[in-house]
Amino acid sequence: MSAERAAVNFSELVNKNKQTLARLQESPRLLLHRRDGEDLVLTTAARAEQDQTVVSAATRILAAMARREPGSMELLLGILPDAFPWVRFLPEPDLHAFAVELVDTMRAADSVGNSASVARLLIAWQHTAEVHSDADLLAALTRDHGENYGPAPGPRDVT
């Protein structure tokens, strides 16, 4: 799903703003490379709204199907490996938990218009699958070390 993106240096936007913005006619998004920070993506407000509408519609359809259709959870569990091949490493109970949490989180994120929690969820579950894919790592992380180190200290004040 990765269309070729137009890309320019951020300085082009600053120095040649009309020519640079005209490139949005050719491409729905313009990747702005920055030397001193994270790259940016420039798009029109109409395009961003269209993208949000599509994501919201897909989320609502998935959530409604998961809640209403008999057998829909089995269908979702069956197609998840096509969408996320790494789920094959998850134990069955974790796969089910991932499916439920994914639908619930997508629905909640859509309600506030911010998909960051969905991205974090996918990354966290992928890391869980990575641990399960490595028998030595899984054994090391799940082994009883026989010691209780007491409560973990709270975060340090870094202000």
Side-chain angles (χ1 to χ4, degrees):
M1 192 198 250
S2 65
E4 191 172 320
R5 285 196 232 175
V8 297
N9 290 326
F10 184 80
S11 59
E12 274 190 62
L13 177 63
V14 173
N15 297 326
K16 301 175 186 175
N17 57 14
K18 286 183 183 180
Q19 298 93 322
T20 304
L21 291 175
R23 294 190 63 184
L24 283 174
Q25 299 299 319
E26 305 161 9
S27 175
R29 288 168 199 77
L30 186 60
L31 181 62
L32 301 173
H33 296 294
R34 298 190 318 160
R35 273 186 280 151
D36 58 349
E38 187 176 359
D39 289 347
L40 303 174
V41 176
L42 183 64
T43 191
T44 65
R47 173 61 74 165
E49 189 174 326
Q50 289 172 353
D51 290 348
Q52 182 56 43
T53 298
V54 170
V55 169
S56 181
T59 297
R60 290 173 188 207
I61 289 169
L62 178 64
M65 187 182 80
R67 282 194 319 271
R68 294 187 187 162
E69 276 301 310
S72 62
M73 184 52 73
E74 288 74 24
L75 175 63
L76 181 58
L77 292 171
I79 64 172
L80 279 175
D82 292 333
F84 307 106
W86 46 261
V87 301
R88 288 177 174 86
F89 296 115
L90 293 175
E92 189 67 33
D94 285 357
L95 178 59
H96 190 273
F98 167 64
V100 169
E101 193 174 354
L102 178 62
V103 171
D104 289 347
T105 303
M106 287 176 68
R107 191 165 174 255
D110 180 58
S111 74
V112 295
N114 186 338
S115 60
S117 59
V118 178
R120 280 193 309 275
L121 174 93
L122 290 170
I123 291 167
W125 276 106
Q126 184 174 6
H127 289 318
T128 301
E130 290 169 1
V131 169
H132 283 282
S133 74
D134 183 334
D136 293 336
L137 180 59
L138 180 62
L141 293 175
T142 57
R143 178 178 63 229
D144 181 8
H145 292 86
E147 292 187 44
N148 182 345
Y149 297 102
R156 288 180 261 219
D157 187 16
V158 289
T159 56

